[in-house]
Amino acid sequence: MSDLTTQSRDDPLGRFQRVALFVGAAGLAIGLIGCCFSRAQFFNAYLYAWFFVLGLPLGGLAIAMLHHLTGGAWGRAIRIPCEAAAMTLPAMLVLFLPVALGMKWLFPWADEDLLARDVVLRHQSIYFNPTWFLLRAALYFAAWCVLAAVLTSQSREYQRHGDERLLRSMRNISAGGLLLLVALITLATFDWVMSREAHFTSSVIGFITSVGETLSAMVFAIAILPLLTPRDPELREFVTPAILNDLGNLILTLVILWAYVSFSQLLVVWMGNIDHETPWYLHRGIGPHATAWTFVAVLVLLFHFFVPFFILLSRDAKQQFLILTTLALGLLIMRALDVYWLIAPSGADVPVGRRHVSVLDLPMLLGVGGIWFYVFVLILRRRGPRLVAREETSADEVLAKEGGGAGANAA
Amino acid sequence: MTAAKSHIYGLLAEFDTPEALIAAAEKVRDAGYRRTDAFSPFPVHGLAAALGLQRTRVALITLLCGICGGLGAYGMMWFSSVIAYPFNIGGRPPHSWPAFVPITFELTVLGAAFGALLGMLALNGLPQPYHPLFNVQRFADHASRDCFFIAIDAADPKFELSDTRAFLESLQPQHVSEVPR
């Protein structure tokens, strides 16, 4: 342990961790001050920040399971950080507390006045009521935490001994776990996002969230590579242009999939043109009149889809460490904006949506994000100095070799 | 241009292992030959790099055809529903852009696919019923079975029949043959 402190002087990860703790504490302090003035603004800003940050552990879990199932050299470069992210889920459960406390400012079904006035809300109250809401949240977190804990402990064991039986076990758990994860994220999105506009229903919204969260975790794991490579020379050697090419292609795939499922929901609502569905998009600036949210939507369309799409088409761009990690950082910021566009325009404090943007939104994002990053680095350090996951299949070798060829061609 | 050069297609060297082929291809590339090609019964990893093949323009053609397809599709729908025949469908505006997106996407893919296929055929000259290399009997018999070949085109600026032949011999091939036209 003592070598960690001596090392930390020229260790960018340690520096970032300290900055994150400071920024996180400052953000939360601003949030608490804001809470004295406006409960509604505080809790809405908090829900946004918490729900965005939750995407990192859930997406990390999804990527770890995907990699157990598919293998491939790309995953060896990012799986250990993804597993460390997944292991922050218990911390996210603690951070759920303000959401539980602030229900009445967040969800129309938890507001007595709204409930009395709205027949749809009364119909929904058999499912959307505080008791069931909390029980479901407990259920989601129990399943997520167990999945993360079991997979990560087996992966650590495998890292040490390379036991074939663990490999099979991790694959079996991942196959069922991935299905369970998408199902639970869908239900959780109904609870924490969709129920904020009681009249809107979409069965694909949970899948949009799942894809978005996987993308969040993927770009997060790539964006922090410059912080990790100085710690582990093996990782520095491992991240070749061929690996970057694969990671770039995976970002491209997720960006396309996100655009596809997001647009398909808009298209269905647009073609249906039904009065209980369209307000969702009217509140988000897509409709006959442009609002400030239209500007946000256009930003998301441009920088969450078109710009990364065209950059990632180029092999020269995605094989450059600096370009790919910068792009990943930019996409992470766009993920935060996309979740903002998803969550902020709804709310219980004004009858039908149109919550005003709060000055607390950004401090809360930095607050929850900073604290989360601090915990993430703590967990990552406990994994030890080696950050390249052990090879899982013999097919890996073949894939790595093929990837190496692509790199050699470009060089 | 010597008379000898006009009636031969080029020179063909034969090797018995993929490793020998790659080693030879690298030497051919380093010697400055550009109009070269290699033949093997199965894909040999790293051969394209060893030969120093440039990336083709198929990707650019595909991109341009895809963009044309997308713009054409969107423009067609915009013209027909905004200019030529505006029609109120379920209260939506004539420029109902979300409804245009699927077709735009489809025609982008169609344009790109045609661009990739036809661009590839245009650049590589296929289908090609006759190729002089098949005049070499060993090539016809073994190129798709168990031997590895490198051909240097007589049109290569560095090609000089006797010098190139001596150079190929120095790579320790199984054979070097002149390929008649």
Side-chain angles (χ1 to χ4, degrees):
Chain A
M1 281 297 125
S2 62
D3 63 334
L4 277 184
T5 48
T6 50
Q7 210 180 34
S8 66
R9 237 169 298 142
D10 49 303
D11 170 19
L13 188 67
R15 256 202 323 273
F16 260 80
Q17 189 190 19
R18 283 192 298 279
V19 171
L21 182 64
F22 176 75
V23 169
L28 288 187
I30 294 173
L32 284 177
I33 296 168
C35 185
C36 304
F37 294 99
S38 165
R39 298 280 145 79
Q41 286 198 20
F42 168 77
F43 283 117
N44 279 282
Y46 186 87
L47 176 73
Y48 155 64
W50 176 81
F51 189 77
F52 168 68
V53 173
L54 181 66
L56 301 172
L58 289 180
L61 186 56
I63 292 171
M65 292 197 282
L66 268 177
H67 185 241
H68 286 310
L69 288 172
T70 63
W74 61 272
R76 297 177 58 204
I78 59 168
R79 209 187 66 225
I80 288 180
C82 282
E83 285 170 354
M87 288 307 282
T88 61
L89 276 166
M92 292 312 290
L93 177 59
V94 175
L95 291 173
F96 176 71
L97 208 64
V99 177
L101 290 174
M103 251 188 269
K104 134 175 150 169
W105 289 279
L106 295 172
F107 306 105
W109 47 261
D111 184 314
E112 298 292 333
D113 297 340
L114 288 174
L115 200 60
R117 269 184 288 156
D118 193 327
V119 67
V120 175
L121 279 178
R122 280 203 300 282
H123 274 294
Q124 290 180 343
S125 64
I126 193 167
Y127 186 81
F128 287 124
N129 60 65
T131 317
W132 276 110
F133 177 82
L134 293 177
L135 266 175
R136 282 197 303 271
L139 183 83
Y140 307 147
F141 270 100
W144 291 335
C145 290
V146 168
L147 266 180
V150 171
L151 273 178
T152 307
S153 77
Q154 291 194 351
S155 163
R156 288 177 80 148
E157 255 327 276
Y158 182 78
Q159 186 85 0
R160 259 181 241 128
H161 310 299
D163 187 344
E164 283 280 326
R165 272 172 309 176
L166 284 173
L167 209 56
R168 263 199 304 281
S169 158
M170 288 190 293
R171 267 182 212 162
N172 291 339
I173 294 172
S174 299
L178 208 52
L179 290 175
L180 184 68
L181 185 70
V182 174
L184 290 185
I185 291 178
T186 295
L187 292 177
T189 309
F190 291 170
D191 281 7
W192 300 331
V193 179
M194 199 173 82
S195 81
R196 282 159 63 76
E197 292 202 22
H199 299 231
F200 178 72
T201 53
S202 163
S203 47
V204 81
I205 196 169
F207 191 63
I208 298 174
T209 309
S210 308
V211 174
E213 290 182 337
T214 311
L215 178 59
S216 295
M218 177 72 79
V219 293
F220 171 75
I222 293 166
I224 61 165
L225 277 175
L227 300 180
L228 302 182
T229 44
R231 295 175 61 80
D232 183 8
E234 193 192 347
L235 182 66
R236 197 166 44 228
E237 295 286 307
F238 189 78
V239 183
T240 55
I243 296 284
L244 292 172
N245 197 70
D246 288 353
L247 291 174
N249 283 338
L250 282 163
I251 299 181
L252 180 61
T253 310
L254 285 168
V255 162
I256 295 172
L257 187 59
W258 168 86
Y260 175 74
V261 288
S262 303
F263 176 75
S264 58
Q265 179 183 284
L266 168 66
L267 185 64
V268 167
V269 171
W270 178 275
M271 297 318 279
N273 212 8
I274 299 167
D275 62 359
H276 65 256
E277 287 180 343
T278 47
W280 176 269
Y281 284 107
L282 293 175
H283 296 159
R284 282 160 182 76
I286 299 180
H289 308 293
T291 66
W293 290 113
T294 311
F295 177 68
V296 177
V298 170
L299 269 186
V300 169
L301 181 67
L302 282 181
F303 293 100
H304 196 307
F305 178 66
F306 278 107
V307 170
F309 175 82
F310 281 106
I311 292 177
L312 288 169
L313 283 183
S314 154
R315 200 190 271 177
D316 294 328
K318 62 192 160 199
Q319 289 182 351
Q320 299 268 336
F321 187 75
L322 190 65
I323 294 181
L324 192 72
T325 48
T326 310
L327 181 106
L329 188 64
L331 261 174
L332 189 63
I333 294 168
M334 290 322 290
R335 284 298 310 141
L337 191 64
D338 179 47
V339 175
Y340 191 59
W341 185 75
L342 186 76
I343 289 193
S346 327
D349 56 335
V350 236
V352 200
R354 270 193 211 98
R355 183 175 78 86
H356 292 294
V357 172
S358 162
V359 287
L360 295 178
D361 292 332
L362 189 62
M364 288 317 301
L365 179 65
L366 295 175
V368 179
I371 298 294
W372 180 85
F373 190 78
Y374 180 79
V375 176
F376 163 77
V377 177
L378 278 186
I379 292 171
L380 185 65
R381 278 181 197 242
R382 279 181 38 207
R383 275 303 285 266
R386 297 191 57 195
L387 293 170
V388 179
R390 190 189 189 113
E391 200 166 347
E392 290 210 340
T393 44
S394 48
D396 244 357
E397 271 177 276
V398 181
L399 285 171
K401 221 174 163 185
E402 271 180 20
N409 281 350
Chain B
M1 291 288 148
T2 58
K5 217 168 170 176
S6 65
H7 65 80
I8 65 158
Y9 167 77
L11 283 170
L12 182 70
E14 177 190 326
F15 300 88
D16 55 356
T17 63
E19 290 77 23
L21 179 72
I22 288 197
E26 280 168 354
K27 288 196 187 110
V28 169
R29 175 195 66 196
D30 294 341
Y33 291 99
R34 286 289 165 267
R35 302 200 51 153
T36 58
D37 209 347
F39 305 88
S40 91
F42 49 83
V44 174
H45 190 76
L47 184 57
L51 266 185
L53 292 184
Q54 300 296 311
R55 239 185 271 168
T56 68
R57 275 176 298 161
V58 174
L60 182 66
I61 295 174
T62 307
L63 180 70
L64 291 178
C65 290
I67 291 174
C68 287
L71 289 180
Y74 201 96
M76 178 182 73
M77 285 180 289
W78 178 81
F79 175 76
S80 59
S81 40
V82 179
I83 305 292
Y85 201 78
F87 199 72
N88 184 337
I89 304 166
R92 280 175 285 269
H95 183 209
S96 177
W97 64 269
F100 296 174
V101 170
I103 305 296
T104 306
F105 171 75
E106 299 290 348
L107 284 200
T108 306
V109 174
L110 186 71
F114 272 120
L117 178 71
L118 299 178
M120 179 268 290
L121 291 178
L123 291 181
N124 68 12
L126 288 175
Q128 201 169 355
Y130 170 79
H131 197 285
L133 278 172
F134 288 93
N135 295 334
V136 179
Q137 195 56 41
R138 281 200 59 83
F139 183 86
D141 291 344
H142 294 276
S144 56
R145 279 163 60 190
D146 53 3
C147 287
F148 304 83
F149 296 89
I150 288 181
I152 300 180
D153 197 323
D156 192 295
K158 272 207 75 180
F159 189 89
E160 196 58 57
L161 188 52
S162 53
D163 291 354
T164 305
R165 191 179 182 105
F167 167 71
L168 281 175
E169 300 277 9
S170 75
L171 304 175
Q172 278 122 28
Q174 306 297 107
H175 299 276
V176 175
S177 348
E178 272 177 35
V179 184
R181 271 196 191 279

